[in-house]
Amino acid sequence: MAVVFTVLMVMAGIYALFKWPIPTLAVLGVLIVIGKSGENKNGGTAPTTAPPSAKPKAPSSPIKSQAQPTAAVRRCEGRDYEARLLRARTESFKIITMQGEAKAAADILSKASGNVYHVTMTSCECEDFKKGHTPCKHMIYFALHTGRYAQMERPIPRYGYSRTNREGKTVPIYWDYASQPTGVGYTNLYPYSVTGKLEGVSEKTGKPTSRKKTVTVNAISDTDAVAAAQELGLVPPFKVEIMDIVPSEGQYGYLHGAEIPYPYLANAADVGALLTRYEDENDHQCPRYLFNMATKYRVRVSHFQEPESVITCIWDGVPDERKPAMFCYAVYCQETGHPFGHAPIESDAPEFAGFVPTKKQLEYILHIPEFGWSKLNKRTATYQSAWHYLVARNFF
């Protein structure tokens, strides 16, 4: 109504001043009314009645705003990275030059193509990296051979995995047994190749000799590997290189088929341990003291192994001359009710080394079936001999 009144007043003023004809004034009035209506619709003069306030929208859920990749996408990305990692661990490369004490960059030769690439932890000159800007095989090789193992591990998304697969069989979940690797794999020790000199005396001439020798040892680090080599009689200068035991394609195929999640940096021992758990449907956690015991005897085991399997590896890794003492220790644990490896007296105590079996008993000890998977047979003469030895020395 206010608009109509205003238009009429304007028309009356124009008629009084200019004496315009009535039809012209009518057309002018219509145009003014249309113009005023357009202003109100397009943000001009606000209407006299305010519209109801809009209801505020609830913030969107972060889960919905960031859609999770599908299982198919995860599987495709995982297989692609797995392929690059396998090439980095199996193809023939060589570091030609390393830049700086921090090993920030290197020139790496691909022996298959003959090309040399300048590589850092974040870049590479190869076409694969330029296309996808994701870690290529040269970058992964560089990381593995400069000790940056953990930086190349990709955590497996923990959603989407079940404790059972489509066949209804129990699936081992590896992150229940270990969380972070310290090398190429999830083991207490890693295989190292150590080259040094072995000194001795020539049987022919009787003169001192020194020859180059390479040994494989299980160790925690380069320094520990040198110490292990020195225990075997090697002397400097040393050349130390960590060894990578890559899982086979058959092992990877088994993991994929059984729907078992696995870490990309797993070695063959890790994969074998997961597959053994799957076959045995054994989800028992392995106690820390067994890993410590294995480390003491320089026996390499995976953190994914079953407790019984770790005990078996320790037994198999102990030299034959020390097995009578280990057998006596096992009898002591069984008689006192302590878990193997977690008794008050240490397994390498000199008291156990005093047990000397007969020749027949030694044969039995060296060929005990299923050691670690079942209790020792108390009815055997060897067990009774060890028990009497312990009783005579007041172990019980």
Side-chain angles (χ1 to χ4, degrees):
M1 293 297 294
V3 173
V4 174
F5 179 76
T6 301
V7 170
L8 291 175
M9 293 297 294
V10 171
M11 291 173 65
I14 291 174
Y15 181 78
L17 291 174
F18 303 105
K19 303 298 182 179
W20 283 10
I22 297 300
T24 302
L25 292 174
V27 172
L28 178 63
V30 172
L31 292 175
I32 292 174
V33 172
I34 294 174
K36 288 292 183 180
S37 300
E39 287 181 3
N40 287 341
K41 290 181 180 179
N42 295 300
T45 305
T48 55
T49 304
S53 59
K55 185 177 180 181
K57 293 182 179 181
S60 59
S61 168
I63 296 177
K64 292 181 179 179
S65 62
Q66 299 178 359
Q68 301 288 3
T70 64
V73 171
R74 290 201 313 271
R75 188 159 46 249
C76 181
E77 292 176 349
R79 298 286 176 84
D80 185 58
Y81 182 73
E82 178 188 291
R84 285 184 169 86
L85 180 60
L86 276 175
R87 288 197 292 269
R89 295 169 74 178
T90 57
E91 291 184 11
S92 186
F93 298 103
K94 182 181 180 181
I95 296 178
I96 299 176
T97 57
M98 190 77 73
Q99 298 179 4
E101 294 183 1
K103 301 178 180 179
D107 292 325
I108 295 179
L109 168 67
S110 175
K111 294 183 179 179
S113 65
N115 296 329
V116 177
Y117 302 97
H118 185 71
V119 182
T120 70
M121 286 296 295
T122 57
S123 65
C124 181
E125 295 178 333
C126 74
E127 292 299 321
D128 187 33
F129 177 77
K130 291 178 182 178
K131 288 179 181 178
H133 291 282
T134 56
C136 64
K137 60 185 179 181
H138 311 106
M139 295 167 62
I140 298 173
Y141 175 86
F142 177 58
L144 297 181
H145 284 262
T146 54
R148 299 178 174 98
Y149 314 106
Q151 293 184 39
M152 280 301 161
E153 178 63 286
R154 286 190 173 187
I156 303 295
R158 302 197 176 186
Y159 55 85
Y161 286 105
S162 174
R163 296 284 171 176
T164 56
N165 59 15
R166 285 172 292 184
E167 297 178 357
K169 198 168 182 178
T170 301
V171 172
I173 305 297
Y174 77 87
W175 53 75
D176 288 348
Y177 317 118
S179 57
Q180 183 64 48
T182 55
V184 189
Y186 291 72
T187 51
N188 63 326
L189 300 169
Y190 295 91
Y192 284 85
S193 171
V194 183
T195 301
K197 288 188 176 181
L198 185 64
E199 296 182 344
V201 178
S202 173
E203 295 181 357
K204 293 182 179 180
T205 63
K207 296 180 180 180
T209 61
S210 179
R211 60 187 178 89
K212 187 176 180 181
K213 184 175 178 61
T214 300
V215 296
T216 301
V217 296
N218 292 320
I220 300 173
S221 62
D222 289 17
T223 304
D224 190 37
V226 168
Q230 289 175 324
E231 292 173 6
L232 298 176
L234 267 65
V235 296
F238 293 110
K239 179 183 177 182
V240 183
E241 185 176 355
I242 191 169
M243 300 170 65
D244 185 10
I245 304 178
V246 186
S248 67
E249 293 184 5
Q251 285 181 310
Y252 279 125
Y254 199 154
L255 288 173
H256 297 157
E259 303 171 51
I260 301 173
Y262 59 93
Y264 290 108
L265 276 180
N267 58 35
D270 300 323
V271 175
L274 288 175
L275 294 178
T276 300
R277 277 188 180 271
Y278 175 73
E279 289 295 336
D280 296 342
E281 297 192 74
N282 186 333
D283 206 31
H284 297 154
Q285 184 92 22
C286 189
R288 176 61 54 181
Y289 60 79
L290 281 180
F291 293 119
N292 294 338
M293 187 178 184
T295 302
K296 177 192 295 185
Y297 291 104
R298 289 200 178 277
V299 176
R300 183 170 55 90
V301 292
S302 170
H303 287 288
F304 304 153
Q305 283 183 237
E306 307 157 85
E308 300 85 354
S309 177
V310 172
I311 294 173
T312 299
C313 287
I314 293 172
W315 175 258
D316 292 340
V318 170
D320 286 352
E321 60 269 20
R322 299 186 66 175
K323 283 188 176 177
M326 183 67 74
F327 176 83
C328 189
Y329 170 76
V331 171
Y332 165 71
C333 291
Q334 187 163 313
E335 288 295 322
T336 56
H338 290 96
F340 182 85
H342 199 50
I345 303 176
E346 295 291 329
S347 58
D348 56 353
E351 292 86 348
F352 299 117
F355 171 63
V356 180
T358 65
K359 184 177 180 180
K360 188 175 181 179
Q361 291 171 348
L362 179 60
E363 280 295 313
Y364 171 80
I365 291 173
L366 296 180
H367 298 90
I368 295 176
E370 300 287 325
F371 186 94
W373 295 91
S374 59
K375 290 185 177 182
L376 297 176
N377 188 349
K378 293 185 177 183
R379 294 177 294 180
T380 62
T382 309
Y383 189 102
Q384 290 298 315
S385 179
W387 182 81
H388 285 296
Y389 169 84
L390 295 170
V391 169
R393 284 153 184 80
N394 299 317
F395 271 79
F396 310 127

